[in-house]
Amino acid sequence: MTADAGGKSSPICIVGGTGALGFGLALRLGRAGIPIIIGSRDEDRAHEAAHRATEAVPTGSYTGHQNAEAVTEAEIVILSVPFRSQSETLTNLKNALKADQLLVDATVPLAAAVSGKATRTLGVWQGSAAQQAQEMAPDGVRVVSAFHTVSAALLSDLDHKLDEDVLICGDRLEDKAKVADLVNAIEGLRPVDCGPLEMARIVEPLTALIISINVRNKVRAGIKITGL
Amino acid sequence: MTADAGGKSSPICIVGGTGALGFGLALRLGRAGIPIIIGSRDEDRAHEAAHRATEAVPTGSYTGHQNAEAVTEAEIVILSVPFRSQSETLTNLKNALKADQLLVDATVPLAAAVSGKATRTLGVWQGSAAQQAQEMAPDGVRVVSAFHTVSAALLSDLDHKLDEDVLICGDRLEDKAKVADLVNAIEGLRPVDCGPLEMARIVEPLTALIISINVRNKVRAGIKITGL
């Protein structure tokens, strides 16, 4: 969360903000006073999601736009799309994203993307979806990986008291600190610096592990690092 | 932990019990009243470790043997060796392990095995070290994967109050229940069923992630699943 001289927060854009995780983040961040721009491939769906978010969080500031327009106003862009659409989405944003923007990738290469199981992952040539995002993003756009282990359903259930960690991977401390500020804006979430972006190879599959634990225990699990 | 009619626990064998993780498990399980057979390639080192363990846990029952002899008396064998030695150790145990024994694999394919970083892992042909163990173990020996995210140093520090989870992967519920009993015998550890053995592909690299977190935060991190 970034604040200008007047203490007003800069807007955050959530590409894929109509999806379950993106929408849950929109609700929680909006409730924290951060203006949210919801991006979608479809402008009508973006508007509809902004409307729904405003109903859920009347104090929030929500607008909806097509992805390419949505990203232009935000210093931080959260990319929260299914792995199936990640590459296409980034191609479509090639001329919209600008140098010095921070792209927070929450993509998980679940095998479900190719009609496999959600408890299995695909091998991504670059090592992880986040590294694919870094390769595809325009020059000067830095990618940080985060938000893979937080349940979309629990984020959207605003009565639920969160109490878990968000694992953050990225190559620059300064970028990770900005994402940590975002995480800290959401009550009950704690940011944990997991190291360079390549560690997303280990963090992204945790979504599949959590899905496996959820199925076995009929819960909505998350992760917490002990000893910190 | 298995108990016979008289309530006495059956012994557990720890192959690689002279190493940091194996020795830590020996201390904690021994303190819980489970007789421990420490296995090592070198019989003298096994004896020495059993002696050290007895000094640390005077109420414990510790013996030391060469690996092939050590495994014969135990229903449950914990395999806690560096990845570099896993394959060789299993080859050496081919005629010693017997059908119906449970092999609890704690191996992590850290890149450090080939002088790479401990924050990176190697690709294992079978998908994980645990699956390599299952392929190499004699017929009828079942493999369960566990104990990758618990700090060896914290296990060995008996004054330290543990408070974290042990992630367990295996193909049979009955086998995982036995390992869960073992975990529950150690105060402060909680077993979490993560699904079939193949999920070890996701759990094993968590050691590398934890090492990365440890380096950044100067801690001895562990993992806890929230929502259970």
Side-chain angles (χ1 to χ4, degrees), chain B residues 101-205:
Chain B
Q101 276 184 313
L102 198 59
L103 187 66
V104 183
D105 183 66
T107 313
V108 177
L110 295 181
V114 294
S115 66
K117 291 187 180 182
T119 53
R120 293 175 171 174
T121 56
L122 297 170
V124 182
W125 190 266
Q126 297 86 344
S128 62
Q131 290 169 286
Q132 173 163 283
Q134 184 63 78
E135 184 183 279
M136 295 191 69
D139 285 351
V141 173
R142 285 114 47 202
V143 173
V144 170
S145 172
F147 296 117
H148 306 92
T149 61
V150 188
S151 153
L154 294 184
L155 283 173
S156 293
D157 174 4
L158 291 172
D159 293 330
H160 176 80
K161 233 175 119 57
L162 296 167
D163 180 25
E164 56 188 278
D165 288 345
V166 172
L167 307 181
I168 300 176
C169 310
D171 290 335
R172 290 184 15 156
L173 285 175
E174 192 190 330
D175 297 339
K176 286 186 279 192
K178 282 182 186 164
V179 178
D181 284 347
L182 260 191
V183 171
N184 278 324
I186 300 178
E187 209 186 315
L189 293 187
R190 178 179 67 165
V192 176
D193 180 359
C194 290
L197 195 64
E198 65 176 34
M199 299 306 284
R201 297 174 190 205
I202 299 177
V203 175
E204 288 172 5

Side-chain angles (χ1 to χ4, degrees), chain A residues 23 26-27 36 38 47-60 62 158:
Chain A
F23 190 72
L27 294 188
I36 302 294
I38 293 180
H47 287 158
E48 186 273 329
H51 180 71
R52 265 194 301 137
T54 307
E55 281 188 332
V57 182
T59 58
Y62 294 101
L158 291 172

Side-chain angles (χ1 to χ4, degrees), chain B residues 16-20 23 26-27 36-57 62-66:
Chain B
T18 58
F23 190 73
L27 293 188
I36 303 294
I37 305 161
I38 292 179
S40 172
R41 274 176 300 188
D42 182 274
E43 190 167 1
D44 287 344
R45 293 193 59 211
H47 288 158
E48 186 273 329
H51 180 71
R52 265 194 301 137
T54 307
E55 281 189 330
V57 183
Y62 294 99
T63 52
H65 295 286
Q66 259 201 322

Side-chain angles (χ1 to χ4, degrees), chain B residues 31-102:
Chain B
R31 191 165 71 161
I34 301 170
I36 303 294
I37 305 161
I38 292 179
S40 172
R41 274 176 300 188
D42 182 274
E43 190 167 1
D44 287 344
R45 293 193 59 211
H47 288 158
E48 186 273 329
H51 180 71
R52 265 194 301 137
T54 307
E55 281 189 330
V57 183
T59 58
S61 159
Y62 294 99
T63 52
H65 295 286
Q66 259 201 322
N67 286 331
E69 195 185 336
V71 300
T72 54
E73 298 296 317
E75 188 197 350
I76 299 180
V77 175
I78 298 176
L79 181 62
S80 174
V81 296
F83 181 60
R84 203 185 316 110
S85 316
Q86 190 206 27
S87 178
E88 184 191 344
T89 303
L90 286 168
T91 300
N92 292 340
L93 290 177
K94 217 151 191 95
N95 298 314
L97 290 168
K98 296 273 175 319
D100 290 331
Q101 276 184 313
L102 198 59

Side-chain angles (χ1 to χ4, degrees), chain A residues 189-208:
Chain A
L189 293 187
R190 180 180 65 165
V192 177
D193 181 357
C194 290
L197 195 65
E198 66 177 34
M199 298 307 283
R201 297 174 190 205
I202 299 178
V203 175
E204 288 173 3
L206 290 178
T207 306

